[in-house]
Amino acid sequence: EFDTNGNSLAITNLTNYRNIGSPFMQQIWVRIENSTNNDCFAYGKYVTLTVVKKPKVKVSDSYQICLNKPQIKAHLTAGIIDGTSPNLYTYIWSKDGVVLPITTATLDVDVTGIYTVKVTNSFGCFETRTLTVTASESAHLLPPTVIDFSDSNSVTLNIAPSIGSYE
């Protein structure tokens, strides 16, 4: 917290400190001196701090699979939302906390569970995305209820109890 001549450079109020000029990089001046005596020293911009951004992904999402159509799988993606190429990242997929042997940006599944993908850039910065896969099945229609021969005729369609939400 001192300049190269020993004067204090303490930053007493961090909210007032701003890196101006280059928002994601700053060169830090340092003084290097001989530990035996202080007569020999050098100073300069020897350290460069660079802020590397984490991957931008849609953090969570939900999918449904149809139990009576197992050939149709849910297509899970790493969810990269900043337009960068998926090839710039590495991927680690897990299901219910167990790491899967998949290292691609997408995964097709036909089993329910909580899936996560850890998306990592070349600097080691990462973001984790959580995908919830739930089950559904085709609705099973029961015979309709018909009210006719009245002032307000109606037909009501009913479904048998099943897995899913229907409108």
Side-chain angles (χ1 to χ4, degrees):
E1 308 245 348
F2 296 92
D3 70 11
T4 57
N5 295 318
N7 300 316
S8 176
L9 291 176
I11 299 171
T12 56
N13 184 349
L14 292 177
T15 59
N16 290 334
Y17 179 74
R18 297 287 182 260
N19 175 1
I20 53 175
S22 54
F24 298 104
M25 184 179 78
Q26 182 172 3
Q27 292 185 322
I28 305 297
W29 283 82
V30 294
R31 175 179 167 140
I32 301 171
E33 57 186 52
N34 185 329
S35 63
T36 306
N37 62 34
N38 291 340
D39 292 339
C40 183
F41 67 89
Y43 57 89
K45 296 179 183 180
Y46 295 113
V47 177
T48 300
L49 299 179
T50 304
V51 177
V52 179
K53 294 180 182 180
K54 296 189 324 183
K56 288 190 178 188
V57 300
K58 185 176 180 186
V59 178
S60 64
D61 218 340
S62 299
Y63 295 84
Q64 280 193 331
I65 56 172
C66 189
L67 295 177
N68 54 330
K69 294 186 179 181
Q71 70 278 13
I72 300 174
K73 300 181 184 304
H75 183 69
L76 310 183
T77 69
I80 298 166
I81 57 175
D82 64 1
T84 57
S85 170
N87 297 332
L88 297 176
Y89 306 97
T90 59
Y91 306 93
I92 299 175
W93 287 90
S94 300
K95 179 191 175 290
D96 298 326
V98 177
V99 175
L100 303 172
I102 307 296
T103 58
T104 58
T106 62
L107 176 63
D108 293 325
V109 300
D110 59 359
V111 177
T112 62
I114 305 295
Y115 292 82
T116 59
V117 58
K118 182 178 177 182
V119 181
T120 307
N121 66 20
S122 62
F123 296 101
C125 301
F126 66 90
E127 186 66 75
T128 301
R129 173 169 158 82
T130 301
L131 305 114
T132 304
V133 178
T134 57
S136 184
E137 62 184 346
S138 297
H140 303 285
L141 291 176
L142 298 173
T145 303
V146 178
I147 300 174
D148 58 359
F149 305 115
S150 69
D151 289 340
S152 56
N153 297 330
S154 67
V155 175
T156 303
L157 298 177
N158 300 300
I159 60 169
S162 55
I163 297 172
S165 177
Y166 309 98
E167 294 182 12

